[in-house]
């Protein structure tokens, strides 16, 4: 059997089953955005993400400065998804021999800018020769015991919310791939090259105890919703016409697809937060959105597991999506 037959998530599930840990200090192991450990009176979060040239990025459309910042962002987003506070990180690099030193200095300038903005410090890493650029960051964060959110925790009857707008980064990537690095449309290309992790929002949602479960949207709305539903043992319905779309997305999507929602449902790398909350929290969530100036939209509701995940179209017809989004090896 080859990996392609079970895909990225099938593979992770196998690893999860075969390596299950019963350590009493481990609050959350494999299966969430970050691992959660209790050491003494403190709760630590640990997450890691890899970026590989030719798979996650292409040097012809991302400059080293933005690449450095984005490498950190994708990890920061996983700490945001737990409602934690990021603190320290390690970075390991695989680099080709002929890479100009100026690439490395720009990369580290981007990394430093991200580190300063989110108050995290670089504490180590590893460096090796490689044919293509490989970037792996391991980020440590902290949180309050009982004050973090997990993918599990969604309850039947909860509402489903998402921050920001969806599909911008994936549409930005399509435009980059088709037209190369141009300045327009800035909003979409910018969302792909310079996403912003929702750290403050994640901390506020956990701090005010507004939600029951949370995940970041890194692989796409449908895939990440599916992860949250599976871990919580529930189903959901999403109203397609409530999915938040930016003005730029609405304008540019027409050149790429007849279905305005397809990329917003399945495209990855928006790094927005998707969370569930009891319906009585809606007013408090709206007031948080206003105070942080981050849009938060109610896009669906949690149903019993047997309902699965289905999308309600504007005309009232519903369907169970067959293609969920990006998965490695598929
Ligand atoms: P995310 O998209 O939030 O980064 P992933 O889908 O990459 O999450 O990972 C889901 C879970 O599987 C996480 O707990 C992650 O640490 C774990 N995981 C991913 N790859 C491996 C692996 N090769 N071995 C062990 N655990 C893994
Ligand atoms: Mg994640």
């Amino acid at each position: 059997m080859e990996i392609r037959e079970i895909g990225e998530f099938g593979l992770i599930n196998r690893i999860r089953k075969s390596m299950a840990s019963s350590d009493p200090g481990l609050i959350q192991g494999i299966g969430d955005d970050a691992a959660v450990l209790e050491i003494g009176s403190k709760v630590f979060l640990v997450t890691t993400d890899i970026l590989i040239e030719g798979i996650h990025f292409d040097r012809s459309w991302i400059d080293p400065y933005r690449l450095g910042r984005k490498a950190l962002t994708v990890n920061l987003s996983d700490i945001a998804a737990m409602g934690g506070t990021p603190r320290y990180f390690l970075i390991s690099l695989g680099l080709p021999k002929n890479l100009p030193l100026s690439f490395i200095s720009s990369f580290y300038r981007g990394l430093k800018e991200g580190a300063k903005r989110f108050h995290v410090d670089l504490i180590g890493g590893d460096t090796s020769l490689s044919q293509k650029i490989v970037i792996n960051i391991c980020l440590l964060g902290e949180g309050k015991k009982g004050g973090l959110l997990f993918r599990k925790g969604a309850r039947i009857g909860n509402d489903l919310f998402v921050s920001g707008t969806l599909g911008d980064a994936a549409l930005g990537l399509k435009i980059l791939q088709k037209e190369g690095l141009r300045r327009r449309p800035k909003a979409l290309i910018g969302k792909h090259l310079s996403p912003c992790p929702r750290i403050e929002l994640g901390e506020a949602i956990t701090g005010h105890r507004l939600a029951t479960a949370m995940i970041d949207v890194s692989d796409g709305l449908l895939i990440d919703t599916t992860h949250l539903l599976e871990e919580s043992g529930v189903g959901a319905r999403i109203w397609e016409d409530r999915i938040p779309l930016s003005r730029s997305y609405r304008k540019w999507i027409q050149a790429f697809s007849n279905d305005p929602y397809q990329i917003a449902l399945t495209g990855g790398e928006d790094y927005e937060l998707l969370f569930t909350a009891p319906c009585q929290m809606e007013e408090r969530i709206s007031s948080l959105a206003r105070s942080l100036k981050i849009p938060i939209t109610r896009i669906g509701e949690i149903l019993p597991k047997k309902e699965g995940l289905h999308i309600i179209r504007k005309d009232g017809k519903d369907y169970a999506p067959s293609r969920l989004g990006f998965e490695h090896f598929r």
Side-chain angles (χ1 to χ4, degrees), residues 108-164:
Y108 271 84
R109 267 194 289 117
L111 201 62
K112 196 168 179 177
E113 208 254 348
K116 197 169 150 208
R117 162 77 180 80
F118 293 99
H119 313 290
V120 292
D121 290 301
L122 178 61
I123 55 167
D126 196 14
T127 310
S128 163
L129 174 66
S130 166
Q131 273 164 0
K132 302 234 169 203
I133 299 173
V134 178
I135 305 158
N136 172 242
I137 288 181
C138 175
L139 176 65
L140 271 90
E142 63 182 338
K144 290 204 177 68
K145 199 178 170 189
L148 293 171
L149 281 166
F150 300 86
R151 291 178 180 181
K152 61 190 174 213
R155 295 285 170 265
I156 297 165
N158 281 178
D159 288 327
L160 183 66
F161 294 90
V162 73
S163 65

Side-chain angles (χ1 to χ4, degrees), residues 33 78 151 216 218:
D33 293 292
D78 279 323
R151 291 178 180 181
D216 65 327
S218 56

Side-chain angles (χ1 to χ4, degrees), residues 10-26:
L11 179 64
I12 293 174
N13 272 334
R14 284 185 177 216
I15 296 169
R16 184 178 180 180
K17 280 191 190 118
S18 73
M19 302 292 286
S21 161
S22 56
D23 185 292
L26 185 65

Side-chain angles (χ1 to χ4, degrees), residues 143-188:
K144 290 204 177 68
K145 199 178 170 189
L148 293 171
L149 281 166
F150 300 86
R151 291 178 180 181
K152 61 190 174 213
R155 295 285 170 265
I156 297 165
N158 281 178
D159 288 327
L160 183 66
F161 294 90
V162 73
S163 65
T165 55
L166 295 175
D168 297 328
L171 187 53
L173 174 62
K174 280 198 185 293
I175 294 169
L176 280 169
Q177 285 168 332
K178 194 169 160 223
E179 318 209 358
L181 197 48
R182 321 179 310 164
R183 290 284 158 239
R184 294 183 59 240
K186 216 172 162 186
L188 303 178

Side-chain angles (χ1 to χ4, degrees), residues 8 12 26 45 52 74 141 156 167 183 223 225 269 281 291:
E8 176 190 357
I12 293 174
L26 185 65
L45 295 106
I52 297 179
V74 302
I156 297 165
R183 290 284 158 239
I223 283 205
T225 301
E269 298 206 287
M281 291 297 176
S291 71

